Amino acid sequence: MTSEHCTIPKGIATIKQWNKTKGCGVAIIDGLDCFVNKSALRDLETEPEVGDKIIVYKYHKTMTGGRIDNGELATFVSSYTTTCTQTTENVHYSIGCSAAIVIIAVLAILAAVLIIR
């Protein structure tokens, strides 16, 4: 598998504002408010909503924050009914346990492949 065929996620963003009429909004990744247009989201089957997660493959910083250039809605996270809750500084994050395990496993395999190269 060559680098052209695999894309390693840069992180997970959360949509905090979305304008359905304009098809764009603001998502936060690593504390950075990023503009996102739905044209930057792969295989978009549903309209994004506030609170949705985006798997971010490419983004860049701008003078006013950032811009997500390539990502996809993480719809698989909401499909799991079992949730894990982690409390960090009075902030609660919930994610499907199975989805978290899959993400960790995929990232571990990708890291191993990159180290072997």
Side-chain angles (χ1 to χ4, degrees):
M1 180 180 269
T2 64
S3 60
E4 297 92 12
H5 299 293
C6 67
T7 305
I8 299 172
K10 304 297 183 212
I12 303 290
T14 303
I15 298 175
K16 70 179 211 176
Q17 296 174 1
W18 190 259
N19 184 320
K20 290 182 180 183
T21 306
K22 294 183 178 182
C24 62
V26 177
I28 189 165
I29 180 171
D30 296 331
L32 182 68
D33 284 348
C34 293
F35 172 80
V36 61
N37 190 297
K38 70 179 184 179
S39 65
L41 302 175
R42 301 177 183 180
D43 305 324
L44 194 60
E45 295 177 8
T46 61
E47 185 72 25
E49 296 180 7
V50 172
D52 284 352
K53 305 292 185 200
I54 299 172
I55 301 171
V56 178
Y57 298 106
K58 183 179 178 188
Y59 74 101
H60 66 275
K61 293 182 180 178
T62 65
M63 292 179 61
T64 58
R67 181 181 183 103
I68 295 174
D69 301 309
N70 189 348
E72 65 182 315
L73 284 183
T75 54
F76 63 88
V77 173
S78 62
S79 67
Y80 291 94
T81 56
T82 307
T83 59
C84 300
T85 303
Q86 172 188 1
T87 305
T88 307
E89 299 175 5
N90 296 326
V91 179
H92 299 280
Y93 298 95
S94 294
I95 186 169
C97 292
S98 298
I101 292 169
V102 169
I103 291 170
I104 291 169
V106 168
L107 291 175
I109 291 169
L110 290 173
V113 168
L114 292 174
I115 290 171
I116 291 172
R117 286 184 166 194

